Structure formats: structure tokens, C-alpha cells
Amino acid sequence: MATEGGGKEMNEIKTQFTTREGLYKLLPHSEYSRPNRVPFNSQGSNPVRVSFVNLNDQSGNGDRLCFNVGRELYFYIYKGVRKAADLSKPIDKRIYKGTQPTCHDFNHLTATAESVSLLVGFSAGQVQLIDPIKKETSKLFNEENSCQHLWKVDWNEERENESSKTSEEALVTVQRLIDKSRVTCVKWVPGSESLFLVAHSSGSMYLYNVEHTCGTTAPHYQLLKQGESFAVHTCKSKSTRNPLLKWTVGEGALNEFAFSPDGKFLACVSQDGFLRVFNFDSVELHGTMKSYFGGLLCVCWSPDGKYIVTGGEDDLVTVWSFVDCRVIARGHGHKSWVSVVAFDPYTTSVEESDPMEFSGSDEDFQDLLHFGRDRANSTQSRLSKRNSTDSRPVSVTYRFGSVGQDTQLCLWDLTEDILFPHQPLSRARTHTNVMNATSPPAGSNGNSVTTPGNSVPPPLPRSNSLPHSAVSNAGSKSSVMDGAIASGVSKFATLSLHDRKERHHEKDHKRNHSMGHISSKSSDKLNLVTKTKTDPAKTLGTPLCPRMEDVPLLEPLICKKIAHERLTVLIFLEDCIVTACQEGFICTWGRPGKVGVLSSPNQASSPGGTVV
């Protein structure tokens, strides 16, 4: 399809694309949506989000999928590239009244074939803990009264009307004593069965324990730690209650946060345009970065925790070095706000000196890819070697992706010429090996705070490849949290750290503000902050926010229009890529070598208006 007045090729919705690994192809039969497959009227609704969990059941089909569309929440068996999606039989479906789901997260640590814990955040500020397998609602947080079911329709397999299989419930918003603003992000604390973090559009973030209640009165807080533009408080109470900790940072909404792969650091992006990275244990600010323009909307870590990528209202993706605390590259490919960034842990190239150039058939290349996956642990060890003083160099290339409100999917490579501009490159690489690089981070130095570098690398030519790596190895835990324990906070509460530094919320920025509209005057206008804080307008040209000509400008490997409505989801799985748009369609893109294995006895047609 092509829009009127535009080039047909430019505006056509793509169903496949090619990278050096091979052909990625949309699998229409693996598409998930509401059972009626009707595009959702997304105007004024919250973004569609997707969460995955693997239950490790003996059937070999343990993947489960949760997604929200409007006021509805669905829970399906995810069959991926193996079989066609069966939308007539959701495991659980819920329709909410008075509020809408905004985000959700599975507890992978406790998930079994019989039970799974799912946190759901809502537009009215509540957080609900449910078990979609047992179809139970356990608890409701940030609500004075517990969740009251006005009615609940329990369905069974014998019901004739499959579409009526639903649990419909209303959340009674009597009084939200902790935070009345929309939940923007909710995640379980890595390695914990009971702790979770919740961010709100108010700019605050809270640590909860599912075992504790929220109390019937508004919480009273006691200052635990304070820094530049942030403060962390404990809940002052005779008995332990939620929230265990509260972070207050800067001004404006906290749009998203992400834990480092080892769970020791927390990266937060805010509407004030700042990335802030904290040591989660010691509640120390590790480093900051300022967007080129407007707010930051999304953030992710590289599989080894050494790099962080952000996206936002400046239409850019920005790569930030965790070790050096500085921007090392920006990528320009989107024509509107970037809504999601994610690393692909299954596509990376790690080669020691004098890498072997590959030549041969596609079958031979697929064998190489499988060999790469089998050597995942070896890959991580070589990643560590690349950052050691070993004389044998290792060549690294990382892959990450981004989707935006321009309905485009971009893939990027982060390569050695960007990561190590002052070191000689090894021989040219001809293929990207598929490997799992999600093992624990390497190269941590044990320091809770790293001083940002004073210099910015000299301007480099545009690059279409850029490696994504980065996980931080944290050092020993600080004693700061001992004070929290003395204040009545449980031992596990000390595991949370969110230091958010927010500036003035920019209301005038529109979706069509792209790089071509950025000027020094508009930047000055958008970067006004309170008098007690550093004026962000003065950060342009500093390591906090380098000028465009001071860092390499990346070009995407591919940039394809794949939907009619803005994209809100990008998830990399081992055999596919999952995307979703605001119309409520969750699409599966088979990786090279995975297309064609789909078993679809009853092939369903692709929903109109989403893909071609």
C-alpha cells in the first residue's frame, strides 16, 4: 500500500527485509490481536505493551504472551514461528472499567506451568498482581480498598460463545494514597520473588513487597539519601508497609527504567530529557546524559551491560558508554519520536584476531549460526577478553533495534570503529554470527561511581554499524542501605535504587519535530529548569550532551515502514522478532532460516490495515 502523494516504495508497508544474516519475513499466521481481529481505535488510549514468559513445561511449548489493548488484557499461548496463532482460545482475558492497563511484567523466577505472577500497572495509578493461569487476582497496590469485583464471568471450554470468555472487573478507585498518577513502568526486581518497582508519570518511583500491605492511611516518609535533583525516602511506620522506598527525582514524568543484566544498576529516562544511571544497592548516581532535544522515552542495556541506548523526542537513538559515562554515538533514521529501543542478544559477532572470512552456501552459513549459539559461553568469555589487557584483540559487533511513532523499524549495528576509535581494527568481517550474549556482565570495576570522561572522541565519519554491549558489574554493596534497615525497611528493600533527575516537562514539542527543526533557540527554550539546578541549555557541547558533529552519526542498517499506526513494542527472541502497533496487532518476524517451519493447518488471513 502507498499513501496518496508519496512514493509507492517509500510508503509501502513491508513484509520482509534483508540484512547480512539473511531474510527476515513477516509471519501473518503468527499474528496475535483481539479475537475479532478488528483494528483497535487507539486514539486517546495507552500504548499497547507485550510481555513474555516461559513456563518450562514438558510439552515444549512453554512460551506465554500477555498484551493490553485499550481496557482489555489478554493472556495467550505463544506459538511463535512453530504454529499459527489461535485467537479463539485465550488462557485469560480481562476487561477493566474505570481504568486501563498501561504496562505489565511477569516474574520469571517463580513462573511454573501451574502458576505465574503478573504485575499490571494502570492509568489511574494502581498496580494489580494477578495469576492468569489460575485466573486469580491476588492483590491491589496503591488503593485503600482491595480490588472489588463488581462482577466476574468465569468461562469454561464448553461455552459456545468463545468471544465471551472473559473476566470483567472494575477497580474501585476510592482513594489512592501513594500516587494518583499513571503508572508508566512496572518491573520485578531481578532475582527477587516478591520485590517490584513502579514508576509514575508524577516522576516518583516506589519499591513494593508483595507480602506487605499498603496501609489504610497515607504513608509518612523519612529521608534516606539526597543528591543533585533526587531524594530517596523510607516509609516511616511502626510495622513494615508499602511502599518500602520512594524516589523523587527532578521534574516531569519518569517514562521508563531498566535494570542492568546483572541487576545491580538501574537506568532511568525522564521527560526532562535526562538519562540517569544508579547503583541500585548503594543509591548512588553513577552517571547522567542529556538528550539532544525534548524528553527521553525509552532505554535498554546491551547484553553485557557496557552500553545503554536511549530514544526519545529528538527522533534519535543515543548510545552511552556505562564505563566512560559519555555519549559515544547517535543514530538518525526515524522521522518522529522513538518509542522503543532494544538490543538483540542473539545477533552479535565476536571474533578473535584475524577472523576467518566466510564463503560458502546458505546452508553452510546456517550451520555456522547454530555453532555460534552453542558457543554462547565462549562468546561471553571472549567479550571479557576484549576489554582486558590481553594482547590478542577481539572484534565485537552488536545489534540493536528501534521502533517509533513514524511506524518504522530500524536496525543498527554498533561496531569497533565506534566503540574503540583509537585502536586498530582487525580484518574485515563478512557475516554476523548469531550468539547468545546474555551471560553476566563482564569488566565491572567495583566502583559505585565512575567519573565521566573529560574528552569526547574526535568526529568520525557516518557509520552504519555500531556495537551494542554493556552490562555493569557492580562492586560490593554500600552500607548506605543499612540506614534503611535501621529505619524499619526490610533487608530486601535495600536492593532498590532509583535516582532520577528530572527537568522541566516540555509541553510544546510535537510529533513532527524532527532533526530538521532543531535549533539552538528551541533547545534553550525547552531546557529551562529550576534555579537550583544546572540549566540544561548550558549542557550542549559538553560530555553530558555533545554537539551533533562531536560524535559519530550512525545510519541504520535497515529502516522499514511496517505498520499503519505508531509502533509500541520491539522484542528480540531467539527465532523471531516481535513488534506491535497501537492498533493492537502483535506481529512475528521469522529470523533467517526460521521462515517456512510454521505449521498452519487453518491459515488465517492477515488483518486489513496492519500488514500487507
Side-chain angles (χ1 to χ4, degrees), residues 308-582:
I308 295 174
V309 171
T310 64
E313 296 175 355
D314 54 10
D315 306 346
L316 300 170
V317 294
T318 302
V319 184
W320 190 79
S321 170
F322 174 84
V323 176
D324 298 331
C325 289
R326 65 178 179 87
V327 175
I328 63 171
R330 293 190 179 104
H332 187 206
H334 288 282
K335 301 175 182 177
S336 187
W337 297 357
V338 179
S339 53
V340 182
V341 288
F343 277 96
D344 182 354
Y346 304 99
T347 305
T348 186
S349 173
V350 182
E351 300 172 353
E352 294 184 0
S353 58
D354 298 324
M356 175 186 64
E357 294 192 3
F358 180 83
S359 62
S361 65
D362 291 341
E363 183 177 354
D364 294 334
F365 182 56
Q366 291 304 318
D367 292 339
L368 177 62
L369 300 187
H370 289 292
F371 177 69
R373 272 195 295 272
D374 294 338
R375 298 180 60 192
N377 293 334
S378 174
T379 298
Q380 183 58 48
S381 65
R382 285 184 288 161
L383 276 173
S384 302
K385 185 184 295 184
R386 177 63 183 87
N387 296 278
S388 69
T389 57
D390 196 304
S391 59
R392 298 180 62 188
V394 175
S395 171
V396 184
T397 300
Y398 295 106
R399 169 73 51 79
F400 69 92
S402 59
V403 295
Q405 296 190 6
D406 57 359
T407 71
Q408 293 193 113
L409 163 68
C410 293
L411 294 181
W412 315 77
D413 270 355
L414 188 61
T415 52
E416 275 205 333
D417 58 335
I418 303 299
L419 294 177
F420 313 106
H422 303 298
Q423 298 184 15
L425 298 180
S426 57
R427 259 203 252 161
R429 298 172 296 278
T430 58
H431 284 283
T432 296
N433 296 338
V434 178
M435 299 180 182
N436 186 342
T438 57
S439 54
S444 94
N445 54 17
N447 295 328
S448 61
V449 178
T450 301
T451 304
N454 296 324
S455 61
V456 176
L460 294 177
R462 288 172 179 255
S463 171
N464 65 351
S465 71
L466 128 95
H468 78 256
S469 93
V471 165
S472 62
N473 270 344
S476 58
K477 302 192 187 319
S478 169
S479 61
V480 171
M481 282 310 186
D482 295 339
I485 298 175
S487 302
V489 179
S490 69
K491 172 184 177 182
F492 294 104
T494 68
L495 294 179
S496 84
L497 173 148
H498 167 66
D499 181 359
R500 221 174 129 248
K501 171 181 171 187
E502 294 204 10
R503 309 290 185 189
H504 183 65
H505 174 38
E506 177 49 41
K507 298 180 179 179
D508 297 332
H509 185 72
K510 306 298 182 182
R511 284 182 57 179
N512 62 351
H513 282 181
S514 61
M515 285 299 299
H517 297 84
I518 298 176
S519 66
S520 59
K521 291 184 179 180
S522 62
S523 178
D524 292 343
K525 179 180 179 181
L526 291 172
N527 291 328
L528 297 177
V529 294
T530 58
K531 295 181 179 179
T532 59
K533 301 178 180 65
T534 303
D535 187 349
K538 298 179 181 179
T539 64
L540 184 62
T542 69
L544 192 64
C545 181
R547 297 183 184 275
M548 294 299 294
E549 61 270 20
D550 291 338
V551 293
L553 184 62
L554 306 170
E555 295 178 353
L557 293 176
I558 63 105
C559 191
K560 304 293 183 182
K561 178 181 175 66
I562 62 172
H564 285 298
E565 277 292 332
R566 65 186 186 271
L567 294 164
T568 58
V569 172
L570 175 63
I571 300 174
F572 291 97
L573 302 179
E574 184 173 0
D575 53 8
C576 62
I577 299 175
V578 176
T579 62
C581 71
Q582 194 57 18

Side-chain angles (χ1 to χ4, degrees), residues 587-612:
C587 298
T588 298
W589 301 77
R591 290 184 184 269
K594 299 297 182 180
V595 179
V597 300
L598 179 65
S599 172
S600 54
N602 298 319
Q603 295 186 353
S605 60
S606 171
T610 303
V611 292
V612 180

Side-chain angles (χ1 to χ4, degrees), residues 267-281:
C268 309
V269 289
S270 307
Q271 194 58 40
D272 61 4
F274 278 89
L275 161 73
R276 299 177 180 89
V277 182
F278 301 94
N279 184 303
F280 191 65
D281 296 336

Side-chain angles (χ1 to χ4, degrees), residues 4-291:
E4 294 182 6
K8 182 176 181 181
E9 184 177 352
M10 288 291 294
N11 293 281
E12 180 183 1
I13 294 181
K14 305 299 182 182
T15 59
Q16 62 184 36
F17 57 86
T18 303
T19 66
R20 60 177 171 270
E21 307 97 70
L23 179 69
Y24 289 78
K25 190 174 182 180
L26 179 67
L27 306 179
H29 314 304
S30 295
E31 185 173 76
Y32 288 77
S33 67
R34 297 188 298 171
N36 59 15
R37 291 185 178 272
V38 175
F40 176 68
N41 182 4
S42 59
Q43 187 172 4
S45 65
N46 292 287
V48 173
R49 302 295 186 193
V50 174
S51 297
F52 281 96
V53 66
N54 187 285
L55 305 181
N56 297 318
D57 63 0
Q58 297 180 354
S59 67
N61 190 20
D63 291 331
R64 299 295 183 267
L65 166 76
C66 175
F67 62 91
N68 61 287
V69 181
R71 62 191 186 102
E72 303 170 11
L73 187 72
Y74 293 91
F75 184 66
Y76 279 100
I77 295 176
Y78 180 71
K79 300 178 181 179
V81 301
R82 299 180 298 275
K83 293 183 179 180
D86 184 0
L87 301 184
S88 66
K89 297 181 179 180
I91 298 176
D92 194 13
K93 172 186 174 183
R94 297 173 183 238
I95 302 177
Y96 295 91
K97 291 187 175 181
T99 187
Q100 292 185 4
T102 59
C103 51
H104 32 82
D105 189 44
F106 287 106
N107 192 324
H108 298 263
L109 194 63
T110 61
T112 66
E114 295 77 28
S115 176
V116 63
S117 296
L118 176 67
L119 292 170
V120 184
F122 291 91
S123 57
Q126 310 97 326
V127 177
Q128 190 180 34
L129 176 63
I130 65 176
D131 188 332
I133 295 180
K134 295 181 177 179
K135 301 178 181 60
E136 294 178 351
T137 299
S138 301
K139 291 184 178 180
L140 183 68
F141 302 91
N142 189 27
E143 187 70 79
E144 181 182 9
N145 289 0
S146 61
C147 180
Q148 300 181 19
H149 300 273
L150 295 188
W151 65 86
K152 180 176 180 180
V153 182
D154 290 321
W155 48 267
N156 53 60
E157 293 298 332
E158 288 75 27
R159 296 190 62 168
E160 296 181 0
N161 186 3
E162 296 288 339
S163 63
S164 65
K165 295 180 177 181
T166 180
S167 299
E168 189 160 0
E169 56 192 16
L171 298 182
V172 180
T173 56
V174 179
Q175 188 176 8
R176 295 177 302 283
L177 300 174
I178 297 174
D179 200 306
K180 295 179 172 61
S181 64
R182 177 175 58 92
V183 176
T184 58
C185 188
V186 58
K187 291 184 186 296
W188 292 94
V189 174
S192 174
E193 297 184 1
S194 58
L195 295 177
F196 64 93
L197 277 174
V198 182
H200 289 259
S201 60
S202 64
S204 295
M205 187 168 68
Y206 305 87
L207 176 70
Y208 289 84
N209 188 322
V210 296
E211 304 297 333
H212 300 156
T213 63
C214 293
T216 57
T217 60
H220 295 278
Y221 297 106
Q222 178 178 341
L223 182 65
L224 172 65
K225 190 163 187 177
Q226 191 170 14
E228 182 183 357
S229 301
F230 82 95
V232 181
H233 294 79
T234 62
C235 189
K236 190 176 181 181
S237 176
K238 293 182 179 180
S239 59
T240 304
R241 56 163 289 182
N242 286 318
L244 301 178
L245 292 177
K246 174 186 177 180
W247 286 261
T248 304
V249 185
E251 299 177 1
L254 174 63
N255 291 320
E256 189 176 30
F257 63 83
F259 285 98
S260 62
D262 63 0
K264 296 179 180 179
F265 288 83
L266 188 70
C268 309
V269 289
S270 307
Q271 194 58 40
D272 61 4
F274 278 89
L275 161 73
R276 299 177 180 89
V277 182
F278 301 94
N279 184 303
F280 191 65
D281 296 336
S282 64
V283 197
E284 293 285 349
L285 181 63
H286 173 81
T288 61
M289 183 269 289
K290 176 69 172 64
S291 69

